[in-house]
């Protein structure tokens, strides 16, 4: 709802073919994408009722590592079709100040990460399925909230950079879990 309290009427451009707001579809698609990557490498997902704490889901491993059994991390998900945000070395994302501060709090007990899913722009479908498999031209870039932290002043928004080398794959997800699980003494 707009800040003046009046509700803006949805236009045709705000709806997908099935009459669901495109932003809702993007949100569900980003969670589904993350679930598929996580489940494929044996991790599980804990959903959150709300994203009040600045995160959407928690990803959990059931493996035992040097420091911990069952490491986990919280993930804030974003989704866009704006290919222009993808630069040579990073994916840029402009965050509102309040969610940015929530995500990057220093006293978080469970480590937090940001993931931005870049989906194809129409008319290419987000997912194609045939007898040979399931394919998406989507890709997600991630960064730890610890590495996103900014100690200086923040206006209404803060632009973050997610390195292109941080492509959310099963292998990289297991690397995150190992990094969290191998730490000793509570350091992350």
């Amino acid at each position: 709802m707009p800040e003046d309290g009046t509700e803006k009427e949805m236009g045709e451009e705000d709806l997908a073919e099935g009459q669901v707001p495109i932003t809702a579809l993007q949100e569900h698609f980003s969670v589904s994408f993350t679930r598929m990557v996580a489940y494929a490498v044996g991790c599980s997902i804990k959903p959150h009722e709300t994203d009040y704490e600045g995160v959407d889901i928690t990803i959990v491993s059931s493996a035992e590592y040097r420091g911990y059994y069952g490491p986990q991390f919280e993930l804030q998900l974003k989704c866009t079709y704006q290919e222009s945000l993808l630069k040579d070395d990073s994916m840029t994302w402009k965050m509102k100040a309040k969610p940015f501060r929530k995500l990057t709090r220093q006293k978080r007990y469970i480590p937090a990460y940001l993931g931005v899913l870049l989906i194809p722009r129409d008319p290419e479908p987000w997912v194609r399925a045939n007898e040979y498999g399931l394919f998406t031209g989507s890709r997600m870039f991630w960064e730890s909230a610890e590495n996103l932290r900014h100690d200086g002043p923040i206006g209404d928004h803060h632009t973050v950079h997610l390195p292109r080398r941080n492509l959310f794959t099963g292998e990289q997800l297991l690397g995150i879990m190992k990094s969290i699980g191998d730490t000793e003494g509570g350091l992350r």
Side-chain angles (χ1 to χ4, degrees):
M1 187 177 291
E3 291 179 16
D4 64 2
T6 60
E7 190 169 333
K8 178 186 168 236
E9 191 171 316
M10 280 189 158
E12 285 292 319
E13 69 280 358
D14 296 320
L15 301 176
E17 238 178 87
Q19 302 305 305
V20 175
I22 195 76
T23 54
L25 290 177
Q26 287 177 314
E27 182 179 337
H28 290 293
F29 191 76
S30 65
V31 171
S32 297
F33 180 95
T34 306
R35 285 180 184 275
M36 286 183 25
V37 171
Y39 293 157
V41 295
C43 292
S44 60
I45 304 286
K46 293 180 185 177
H48 292 250
E49 293 283 324
T50 66
D51 71 351
Y52 176 75
E53 291 301 319
V55 293
D56 295 302
I57 59 175
T58 300
I59 302 179
V60 183
S61 169
S62 294
E64 185 167 341
Y65 292 92
R66 187 176 66 233
Y68 295 102
Y69 167 77
Q72 58 185 309
F73 67 91
E74 296 179 322
L75 184 63
Q76 174 68 52
L77 291 167
K78 300 296 180 186
C79 184
T80 185
Y81 55 80
Q82 297 177 61
E83 187 83 26
S84 63
L85 299 176
L86 191 58
K87 308 300 181 197
D88 287 340
D89 61 346
S90 67
M91 173 77 169
T92 61
W93 188 255
K94 189 175 180 178
M95 292 185 74
K96 292 181 182 176
K98 188 173 181 179
F100 174 78
R101 286 186 186 106
K102 283 183 177 184
L103 181 69
T104 59
R105 282 186 182 128
Q106 287 191 15
K107 292 186 175 184
R108 277 191 171 277
Y109 181 70
I110 298 174
Y113 288 72
L114 172 66
V116 178
L117 182 67
L118 181 59
I119 58 175
R121 182 182 280 280
D122 290 336
E124 185 180 339
W126 295 352
V127 172
R128 288 188 306 271
N130 60 34
E131 65 180 293
Y132 300 106
L134 183 68
F135 175 79
T136 179
S138 305
R139 58 238 195 245
M140 184 162 67
F141 302 93
W142 61 270
E143 183 58 275
S144 71
E146 185 175 311
N147 288 342
L148 295 175
R149 198 166 287 128
H150 177 77
D151 295 328
I154 297 173
D156 293 338
H157 294 85
H158 181 71
T159 300
V160 297
H161 302 272
L162 297 88
R164 285 187 74 158
R165 70 180 177 278
N166 289 359
L167 189 63
F168 193 78
T169 63
E171 182 180 343
Q172 288 204 9
L173 172 56
L174 292 177
I176 293 170
M177 289 301 183
K178 181 172 176 29
S179 174
I180 296 168
D182 280 351
T183 54
E184 296 179 22
L187 299 175
R188 295 184 173 92

